[in-house]
Amino acid sequence: MSMFSKWLEQQSVEQPEGELHYEALVESDRLDDEELMDQLGHDVARNYLNPTELALVFDDLGSSEVADYLRANKFPADIKVRHGDFGEIVTAGLYRRMRRWCVPILKLRYKQTPNQAVQGTDVLAFRFRQTPPVIAVPEVKTRATRKRALGTEAYESLEKVLGRLDESLHFALVRCAERDHQFLVRHLAALLRRPQERVVERHMVFVHDAVVWKDDVVALLADVVTQRTELTVVKISGLQDFVARVYQAAETGAGPRGIASSQDTAA
């Protein structure tokens, strides 16, 4: 069982009418706090760092120097950006480890500066072996405060991203080619060459403070959705403090041995 499957469990929810399918995930008690912080911190660090950079930069650094490097060069200081990044990391882990989709690139590795976002889809997930192959395009929103219009804003963002999906597929293809992942390159190229032979699924993931979440966000979103859309809400208590603690764990626990110990096949 993956760390994500131990950390999160499904909550019973009422389904809205129409084309929106709603799933809620809440924190379980299967991981103690120290283990959860350690494992989530590890996952945060590997989303920003590739093995090549680890080998080049970290081999001669002590743990305090590694933390300083991450703080200065990798992890965003801006709270809003950090929350957005964390939501993307949770979403990628959810699709890869709990739902068993292929998530070929960790987009945060390609930031030019820590507080700048990478353009394009938040996360791309694939089922290449299905016929026709399926692309899940999740629009991710991370919020520590309540906003009733969150769903409708996400819907508008998702429609814009879907209109430029080929740009994001090409970005993923180039990144996989750089790592010589030929299986992924071949399949991504096929999706670009033959767009009529692919299924694109609309997904949304809201990583939200559990205390201030209300399901009226779902009801408002259901009123505007006109095509099948999968919504997942990940509810975390005290989200702002939780994210701060995870990044602190990432700073203190990162290092060549820790990050590279997992089989890192993502680009």
Side-chain angles (χ1 to χ4, degrees):
M1 181 182 290
S2 73
M3 179 272 289
F4 276 80
S5 298
K6 293 178 183 177
W7 173 38
L8 301 171
E9 62 185 8
Q10 198 161 1
Q11 181 184 48
S12 178
V13 296
E14 183 177 343
Q15 289 299 323
E17 294 184 5
E19 295 294 327
L20 184 68
H21 179 264
Y22 172 34
E23 178 179 351
L25 298 173
V26 295
E27 298 167 281
S28 76
D29 57 3
R30 292 191 292 266
L31 283 175
D32 64 46
D33 185 71
E34 184 177 352
E35 184 181 5
L36 176 60
M37 287 296 120
D38 179 68
Q39 294 198 33
L40 274 177
H42 173 90
D43 210 56
V44 163
R46 73 180 290 273
N47 269 267
Y48 289 94
L49 297 160
N50 64 53
T52 302
E53 183 175 5
L54 287 168
L56 290 172
V57 178
F58 285 177
D59 274 351
D60 297 325
L61 297 184
S63 58
S64 62
E65 293 170 304
V66 169
D68 289 342
Y69 176 87
L70 293 172
R71 209 174 293 120
N73 299 289
K74 290 296 174 181
F75 297 162
D78 185 292
I79 296 298
K80 184 177 180 181
V81 175
R82 183 173 287 202
H83 283 194
D85 286 1
F86 180 74
E88 292 186 20
I89 291 167
V90 168
T91 300
L94 172 65
Y95 277 77
R96 178 186 286 117
R97 297 187 181 144
M98 287 183 71
R99 296 175 173 172
R100 301 301 179 186
W101 288 75
C102 174
V103 182
I105 65 165
L106 301 177
K107 197 179 75 171
L108 298 179
R109 291 181 178 178
Y110 302 99
K111 283 188 165 207
Q112 292 183 324
T113 60
N115 289 320
Q116 185 177 19
V118 180
Q119 298 302 307
T121 58
D122 293 328
V123 175
L124 279 176
F126 301 87
R127 297 202 189 280
F128 290 118
R129 299 188 188 278
Q130 285 188 206
T131 305
V134 181
I135 310 170
V137 184
E139 175 66 22
V140 184
K141 298 292 185 187
T142 308
R143 295 291 184 271
T145 56
R146 172 173 158 72
K147 188 173 188 179
R148 290 183 77 241
L150 174 64
T152 52
E153 289 180 4
Y155 176 80
E156 292 172 3
S157 298
L158 179 58
E159 292 304 306
K160 291 177 182 176
V161 164
L162 288 169
R164 303 179 66 174
L165 178 58
D166 280 5
E167 294 177 16
S168 295
L169 290 173
H170 184 262
F171 178 84
L173 185 151
V174 172
R175 303 289 81 79
C176 290
E178 290 170 349
R179 294 286 300 277
D180 199 30
H181 295 324
Q182 291 303 316
F183 171 86
L184 295 172
V185 170
R186 189 165 62 251
H187 283 275
L188 289 166
L191 292 174
L192 282 165
R193 285 197 309 269
R194 297 188 292 273
Q196 72 280 4
E197 297 176 18
R198 68 193 191 197
V199 173
V200 179
E201 293 186 359
R202 289 167 159 77
H203 291 226
M204 297 181 186
V205 178
F206 300 160
V207 179
H208 206 284
D209 192 299
V211 177
V212 296
W213 171 261
K214 289 188 178 179
D215 278 350
D216 60 349
V217 172
V218 179
L220 286 171
L221 176 58
D223 286 341
V224 300
V225 166
T226 59
Q227 299 183 59
R228 174 75 176 190
T229 304
E230 304 288 333
L231 169 65
T232 303
V233 180
V234 180
K235 303 177 185 179
I236 300 173
S237 298
L239 180 63
Q240 185 165 327
D241 178 63
F242 186 90
V243 174
R245 290 169 58 223
V246 170
Y247 273 82
Q248 184 176 20
E251 289 175 4
T252 57
R257 226 171 349 186
I259 304 301
S261 60
S262 63
Q263 290 186 342
D264 192 342
T265 57

